[in-house]
């Protein structure tokens, strides 16, 4: 809405500043120019956007933005986007969906994509899908943390498979903690709750954000709000729980029942069902929860990985749009923009290829043997669920909102120990149909491989930037660390390399709100 004071340049500046100057600015420029078109496209496909009195799509404040530009559909925007996209997909009979199928590996030969090996959970079949082009859009891996907003299936499988197939991962140390995870489940209390005017309060009933970001208060960027909450908790101004999930409150009571029911109906429903609290007249207990990976599979501005025929989009892709910290609402918009960009590029590439690359039968047999004859055939001295719980406890304690060298060294030691212990897990069930214990081991392998890149990258980066906040290196170091981390897979652990940040518009300055 340029006539009201917004512009593409302002959105770009907010995104670059929010990223703590680690985003690639050419990527940001492309993003802000394209995402309004995607909003309109979704409107044409039937998403029920919330609208203002003038009939235009409504917009509200979101963290780190200097203009109320976050379009929304009540407080269920992502839910409605997903359903609109799925419903639109149903119009195309040429699309085949492989429901309840689990991809086990990405096959690459001489730097060119060949296909995927797939395990059908419903039939137990193991088969190959040959292909000319692949788009990886499998989301993030925050289930490596215990207190997280993520669903149980978000175990970074696509990212881990790409990593093991030789594609580098970028900036994995930058994990966003959303300021408002509901106690004790971690279910997301949307940023819309603060965008609509919710207050964060400590145990003295103070709006403590006045001390940390006086100009933005509760709508400061997420890394700043999360650190502010943790400072309040660590300094004794939070509320204690026996399980260690100490918390602060978000207060919506002053918004009134009408506004809460119109703008935040899902938040009210979630608070009532999962915390037995009605936000119309009660405070909601929250604390920072692992929420989003700013990093991901290394790609260029068009979403292309270094492997011919493979693209990545959404949270799985490391486009360098979000840098060290993502602004609220930029994620689903990113999914829409690069979903279209990578879809177009992959389709063009596939149509230009005359034939499918041949896939040696030996590769398929190797993957099948690995899945059904090697994984889960240890001596039974270890339990995969205990290992996964240890991983989550370690990362929650050592690699969360605040970090330091000794804690991360301890975490890396533990991650590598857990990797060894996984070899001793035994699956008693030999069935191939819905063998959830075997699936749990595969997911744990993926989480541990990715956790190793998070901790290794964080240990190496001796500065604080965005979501990576080190007590032992509290300052941002642009001279040494204005660069992206690249992690390459080796059996011994990630090999780290670096690439420069692309600066086209703004030089780094001190980040204040």
């Amino acid at each position: 809405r340029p006539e009201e004071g917004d512009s593409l340049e302002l959105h770009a500046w907010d995104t670059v500043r929010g990223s703590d100057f680690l985003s690639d600015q050419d990527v940001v420029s492309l993003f802000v120019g394209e995402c309004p078109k995607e909003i309109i496209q979704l409107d044409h496909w039937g998403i029920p956007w919330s609208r203002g009195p003038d009939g235009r799509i409504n917009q509200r404040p979101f963290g780190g933005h200097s203009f109320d530009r976050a379009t929304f559909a009540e407080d269920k925007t992502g839910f409605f986007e997903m359903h609109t996209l799925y419903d639109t997909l149903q119009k195309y009979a040429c699309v085949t969906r492989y429901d309840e199928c689990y991809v086990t590996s990405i096959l690459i030969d001489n730097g060119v994509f060949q296909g995927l090996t797939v395990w059908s959970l419903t039939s137990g079949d193991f088969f190959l899908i040959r292909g000319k082009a692949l788009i990886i859009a499998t989301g993030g891996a925050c289930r490596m943390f215990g207190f997280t907003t993520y669903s149980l299936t978000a175990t970074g499988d696509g990212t881990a498979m790409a990593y093991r197939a030789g594609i580098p991962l970028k900036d994995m140390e930058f994990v966003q903690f959303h300021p408002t995870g509901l106690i004790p489940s971690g279910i997301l209390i949307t940023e819309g709750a603060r965008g609509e005017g919710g207050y964060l309060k400590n145990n003295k009933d103070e709006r403590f954000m006045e001390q940390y970001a006086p100009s933005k208060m509760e709508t400061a960027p997420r890394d700043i709000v999360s650190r502010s909450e943790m400072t309040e908790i660590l300094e004794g101004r939070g509320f204690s729980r026996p399980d260690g999930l100490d918390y602060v409150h978000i207060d919506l009571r002053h918004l009134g029942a009408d506004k809460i029911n119109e703008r935040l109906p899902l938040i009210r429903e979630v608070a009532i069902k999962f915390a037995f609290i009605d936000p119309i007249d009660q405070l909601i207990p929250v604390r920072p929860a692992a929420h989003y990976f700013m990093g991901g599979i290394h790609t260029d501005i068009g979403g292309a990985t270094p492997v011919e025929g493979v693209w990545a989009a959404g949270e799985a892709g490391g486009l360098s749009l979000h840098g060290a910290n993502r602004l609220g609402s930029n994620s689903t918009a990113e999914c829409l923009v690069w979903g279209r960009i990578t879809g177009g590029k992959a389709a063009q590439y596939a149509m230009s290829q005359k034939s499918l690359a041949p896939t040696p039968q030996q590769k398929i047999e190797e993957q099948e043997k690995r899945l059904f004859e090697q994984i889960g055939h240890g001596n039974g001295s270890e339990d995969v669920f205990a290992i996964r719980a240890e991983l989550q406890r370690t990362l929650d304690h050592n690699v969360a909102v605040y970090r330091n060298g000794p804690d991360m060294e301890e975490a890396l030691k533990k991650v590598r120990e857990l990797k060894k212990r996984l070899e001793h897990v035994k699956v008693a069930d030999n069935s191939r149909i819905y063998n959830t214990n075997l699936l749990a081991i595969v997911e744990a392998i993926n989480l541990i491989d990715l956790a190793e890149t998070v901790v290794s990258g964080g240990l190496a980066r001796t500065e604080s930037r965005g979501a990576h906040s080190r007590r032992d290196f509290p300052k941002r170091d642009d001279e040494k660390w204005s660069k992206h981390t690249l992690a390459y897979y080796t059996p011994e652990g990630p090999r780290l390399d670096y690439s420069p940040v692309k600066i086209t518009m703004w030089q780094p300055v001190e980040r204040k709100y």
Side-chain angles (χ1 to χ4, degrees):
R1 295 180 177 175
E3 73 278 10
E4 296 176 11
D6 200 11
S7 67
L8 299 180
E9 290 75 18
L10 185 58
H11 188 186
W13 164 246
D14 288 343
T15 300
V16 170
R17 180 170 63 150
S19 79
D20 220 349
F21 296 90
L22 196 72
S23 59
D24 284 345
Q25 295 177 19
D26 57 343
V27 174
V28 174
S29 291
L30 176 62
F31 168 72
V32 299
E34 294 299 312
C35 64
K37 303 171 190 175
E38 299 302 321
I39 304 298
I40 295 166
Q41 177 69 77
L42 275 182
D43 193 38
H44 291 172
W45 281 341
I47 192 172
W49 290 122
S50 295
R51 296 184 182 274
D54 59 1
R56 293 196 295 177
I57 297 170
N58 216 337
Q59 299 175 203
R60 63 180 165 207
F62 248 57
H65 292 276
S66 53
F67 187 85
D68 300 356
R69 66 169 67 93
T71 59
F72 62 95
E74 294 180 339
D75 56 348
K76 309 173 187 176
T77 312
F79 173 84
F80 282 130
E81 283 181 5
M82 184 175 66
H83 277 266
T84 302
L85 292 167
Y86 182 79
D87 289 349
T88 304
L89 181 68
Q90 303 314 301
K91 295 194 296 187
Y92 300 96
C94 58
V95 177
T96 302
R97 296 196 330 274
Y98 291 87
D99 296 326
E100 299 297 300
C101 286
Y102 188 90
V103 175
T104 65
S105 69
I106 300 166
L107 301 180
I108 295 167
D109 187 50
N110 292 322
V112 180
F113 172 66
Q114 292 180 307
L116 306 169
T117 56
V118 182
W119 171 26
S120 170
L121 298 177
T122 54
S123 68
D125 293 337
F126 189 87
F127 58 95
L128 170 73
I129 298 179
R130 296 172 70 197
K132 298 174 182 177
L134 170 69
I135 302 171
I136 304 171
T138 50
C142 279
R143 268 290 153 185
M144 65 177 65
F145 294 88
F147 192 69
T148 175
T149 62
Y150 273 37
S151 66
L152 291 166
T153 57
T155 50
D157 304 323
T159 307
M161 281 183 275
Y163 174 54
R164 288 193 296 267
I167 302 174
L169 306 185
K170 184 192 290 173
D171 291 338
M172 290 293 283
E173 63 266 36
F174 295 104
V175 181
Q176 180 163 87
F177 286 79
H178 196 289
T180 51
L182 180 65
I183 299 293
S185 63
I187 294 171
L188 178 67
I189 300 298
T190 173
E191 192 148 305
R194 285 175 288 127
E196 292 295 342
Y199 301 155
L200 288 171
K201 292 184 173 179
N202 59 21
N203 63 16
K204 297 181 178 181
D205 203 38
E206 298 168 334
R207 284 184 70 188
F208 56 84
M209 286 308 300
E210 289 176 340
Q211 307 299 317
Y212 304 97
S215 70
K216 298 296 288 182
M217 296 292 285
E218 284 84 2
T219 56
R222 289 175 180 175
D223 61 324
I224 292 173
V225 180
S226 290
R227 283 195 294 276
S228 304
E229 290 181 0
M230 288 310 301
T231 300
E232 292 294 301
I233 289 168
L234 293 169
E235 293 182 358
R237 294 185 293 278
F239 299 85
S240 297
R241 282 174 56 96
D243 59 7
L245 290 176
D246 298 350
Y247 60 92
V248 293
H249 280 137
I250 184 165
D251 186 357
L252 307 181
R253 296 173 301 177
H254 56 284
L255 302 181
D258 290 345
K259 189 168 187 178
I260 290 171
N261 286 326
E262 179 203 344
R263 297 289 187 91
L264 302 168
L266 180 62
I267 291 311
R268 185 178 181 220
E269 183 183 348
V270 163
I272 290 170
K273 287 184 175 178
F274 293 95
F276 313 108
I277 286 165
D278 190 338
I280 287 174
D281 50 30
Q282 292 173 285
L283 299 164
I284 305 174
V286 293
R287 68 176 276 131
H291 180 65
Y292 189 88
F293 271 80
M294 269 73 73
I297 300 163
H298 174 48
T299 74
D300 65 12
I301 190 171
T305 73
V307 170
E308 186 180 332
V310 180
W311 287 259
E315 190 177 357
L319 290 153
S320 307
L321 170 63
H322 309 300
N325 174 68
R326 174 175 72 76
L327 294 195
S329 79
N330 272 3
S331 57
T332 56
E334 176 200 13
C335 291
L336 297 168
V337 170
W338 272 277
R340 180 178 56 75
I341 289 172
T342 58
K345 288 182 179 293
Q348 284 181 337
Y349 174 83
M351 288 187 289
S352 72
Q353 303 302 302
K354 291 177 182 170
S355 62
L356 288 162
T359 306
Q361 185 63 28
Q362 180 190 352
K363 275 192 175 182
I364 306 160
E365 290 170 359
E366 282 174 4
Q367 289 299 329
E368 187 170 13
K369 184 177 180 182
R370 174 179 174 268
L371 181 63
F372 295 117
E373 297 179 27
Q374 294 173 358
I375 294 174
H377 281 70
N379 59 19
S381 60
E382 296 287 351
D383 178 353
V384 66
F385 300 104
I387 288 172
R388 190 155 156 171
E390 277 192 55
L391 174 70
Q392 292 173 335
R393 280 196 299 272
T394 299
L395 293 184
D396 278 352
H397 187 263
N398 293 43
V399 200
V401 173
Y402 283 117
R403 304 168 174 182
N404 63 58
D407 281 352
M408 287 190 287
E409 284 172 4
E410 186 182 319
L412 188 59
K413 185 178 174 184
K414 172 59 75 173
V415 167
R416 288 176 172 164
E417 173 202 313
L418 296 176
K419 186 189 277 193
K420 290 282 186 191
R421 285 168 55 187
L422 263 181
E423 296 171 7
H424 299 287
V425 174
K426 182 175 180 61
V427 176
D429 180 6
N430 292 319
S431 168
R432 291 188 174 201
I433 297 174
Y434 278 113
N435 190 334
T436 53
N437 276 20
L438 177 58
L439 190 61
I441 298 174
V442 177
E443 290 177 336
I445 290 169
N446 292 337
L447 285 172
I448 285 172
D449 279 348
L450 296 180
E452 200 173 9
T453 69
V454 172
V455 183
S456 298
L459 259 174
R461 186 174 285 272
T462 50
E463 68 160 355
S464 288
R465 186 185 295 265
H468 177 62
S469 184
R470 289 188 61 156
R471 297 279 202 178
D472 47 353
F473 293 96
K475 299 292 185 185
R476 195 180 80 199
D477 185 350
D478 289 324
E479 187 175 333
K480 185 177 179 183
W481 288 109
S482 186
K483 57 188 179 183
H484 301 296
T485 305
L486 295 174
Y488 292 82
Y489 176 81
T490 76
E492 296 75 37
R495 174 179 66 82
L496 299 183
D497 199 357
Y498 297 91
S499 65
V501 175
K502 289 176 185 167
I503 296 174
T504 59
M505 297 174 283
W506 297 288
Q507 292 296 321
V509 295
E510 186 181 359
R511 185 168 169 250
K512 287 182 178 178
Y513 290 92

